[in-house]
C-alpha cells in the first residue's frame, strides 16, 4: 500500500544544513495500523509531511497504491490528497461555521460530489463511531473527543487508500483518547482502513499492529504486537527507555 524507500530530507538555515531524515525504509500493508514514535526532533512530522507531499524531499521514493508521488505537479498532488489520502490532525481542523454532518462531507463538497451515497456513508460512519447524536450540532457545541471522532469520519468519506494521523490524541484526556483510538480500530476492522499515525503516546500506540521507532532521522527499531495490548505497551516503554 505505502512504500517508503531510502528517503532523505534536510533543511538549510543560513550556512548550516541539517539532515532530518537519513535513508528511511519501511512499508505499510493494506489494512494495517502503524504508528511512528520517537523523541522531539527525530523526524516524525517531517516524515508525515513528506508522505503527503506537503514538503519536498531530497531523494528517495514514496509509492502509494502503486503511484510514485515524486515529480507529480501540484494539481495532481492536490487531487491525490483529497481523494486518496485521509487526514486527522491534533487540533481537529473542523470548520466552525459548518455542522458536524457538513464537516464530515467537506472532502466531497470540494469535489462537488455530495450525492445520496455520500449522505448515506455519513450516517454509517456516525453510527460506527457513536456520533449520530451530534451530526446537526456545530464544533463549539461538542467535546474534544467527539470532534476527533468526527474528524476520523471526515478522513474516511472518500474511502482513501490510507489515513495519515498526526498526534490525533494529543489534545485529549485519557478517556477521549481511548475512544478515538477505538474509532481507528473500528475503521480498520469494519472498513479495512489503512492507518499511519504519528504519536508520542505509548498508550495510543499500543493499539497498533506495529510501531516504528525513529531516532535522529533513522529507524531505530520496529516492534510488532504479538501479545496483549498492555504487554505491547510495556515493550514500547522499554524500547523508548533503551533508545534514550
Amino acid at each position: 500500500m505505502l512504500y517508503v524507500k531510502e528517503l532523505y530530507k534536510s533543511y538549510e538555515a543560513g550556512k548550516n544544513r541539517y539532515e532530518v531524515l537519513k535513508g528511511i525504509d519501511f512499508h505499510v500493508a493494506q489494512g494495517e495500523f502503524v504508528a511512528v514514535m520517537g523523541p522531539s526532533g527525530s523526524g516524525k512530522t517531517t516524515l508525515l509531511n513528506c508522505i503527503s507531499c506537503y514538503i519536498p524531499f531530497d531523494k528517495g521514493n514514496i509509492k502509494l497504491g502503486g503511484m510514485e508521488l515524486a515529480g507529480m505537479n501540484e494539481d495532481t498532488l492536490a487531487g491525490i490528497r483529497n481523494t486518496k489520502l485521509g487526514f486527522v490532525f491534533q487540533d481537529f481542523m473542523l470548520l466552525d461555521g459548518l455542522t458536524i454532518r457538513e464537516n464530515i462531507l467537506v472532502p466531497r463538497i470540494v469535489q462537488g460530489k455530495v450525492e445520496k451515497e455520500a449522505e448515506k456513508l455519513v450516517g454509517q460512519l456516525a453510527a460506527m463511531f457513536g456520533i449520530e447524536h451530534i451530526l446537526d450540532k456545530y464544533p463549539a457545541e461538542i467535546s474534544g473527543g467527539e470532534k476527533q471522532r468526527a474528524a476520523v469520519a471526515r478522513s474516511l468519506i472518500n474511502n482513501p487508500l490510507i489515513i495519515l494521523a498526526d498526534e490525533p490524541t494529543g489534545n485529549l484526556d485519557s478517556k477521549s483518547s481511548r475512544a478515538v483510538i477505538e474509532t481507528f480500530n473500528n475503521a480498520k476492522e469494519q472498513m479495512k482502513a489503512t492507518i499511519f499515525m504519528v504519536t508520542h503516546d505509548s498508550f495510543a500506540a499500543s493499539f497498533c499492529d506495529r510501531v516504528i521507532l525513529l531516532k535522529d532521522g533513522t529507524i531505530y527499531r520496529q516492534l510488532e504486537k504479538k501479545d496483549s495490548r498492555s504487554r505491547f505497551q510495556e515493550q514500547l516503554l522499554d524500547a523508548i527507555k533503551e533508545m534514550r
Side-chain angles (χ1 to χ4, degrees), residues 113-228:
K113 293 183 178 179
V114 185
E115 61 277 282
K116 288 184 179 180
E117 177 267 332
E119 295 278 4
K120 182 180 178 181
L121 183 55
V122 170
Q124 292 171 341
L125 291 168
M128 189 187 307
F129 301 155
I131 55 172
E132 308 103 307
H133 61 293
I134 63 167
L135 285 178
D136 295 319
K137 293 186 177 182
Y138 291 86
E141 300 175 311
I142 65 176
S143 70
E146 289 170 332
K147 289 177 184 178
Q148 198 61 297
R149 280 182 278 162
V152 176
R154 179 186 59 195
S155 76
L156 287 160
I157 196 67
N158 274 334
N159 295 307
L161 293 176
I162 192 168
I163 295 172
L164 303 178
D166 190 4
E167 299 282 7
T169 62
N171 285 334
L172 304 176
D173 59 32
S174 58
K175 182 179 179 180
S176 296
S177 293
R178 185 177 189 116
V180 168
I181 294 301
E182 288 176 348
T183 296
F184 280 126
N185 269 333
N186 286 343
K188 173 181 178 289
E189 291 169 6
Q190 297 185 43
M191 299 182 69
K192 310 302 181 187
T194 306
I195 305 152
F196 186 71
M197 176 178 72
V198 166
T199 185
H200 67 278
D201 183 0
S202 64
F203 176 76
S206 69
F207 286 83
C208 295
D209 301 310
R210 182 162 49 96
V211 175
I212 299 169
L213 296 179
L214 286 189
K215 181 180 181 181
D216 299 329
T218 63
I219 293 179
Y220 174 79
R221 189 175 170 189
Q222 296 194 49
L223 292 91
E224 186 176 345
K225 182 163 66 179
K226 297 180 179 179
D227 208 334
S228 67

Side-chain angles (χ1 to χ4, degrees), residues 1-31:
M1 174 58 71
L2 173 67
Y3 291 88
V4 176
K5 181 80 172 172
E6 286 294 302
L7 188 67
Y8 287 83
K9 173 63 182 175
S10 60
Y11 293 102
E12 292 185 6
K15 295 181 180 179
N16 297 317
R17 185 182 182 89
Y18 300 95
E19 292 187 350
V20 182
L21 301 177
K22 308 169 186 175
I24 299 291
D25 273 297
F26 69 90
H27 77 279
V28 179
Q30 184 173 1

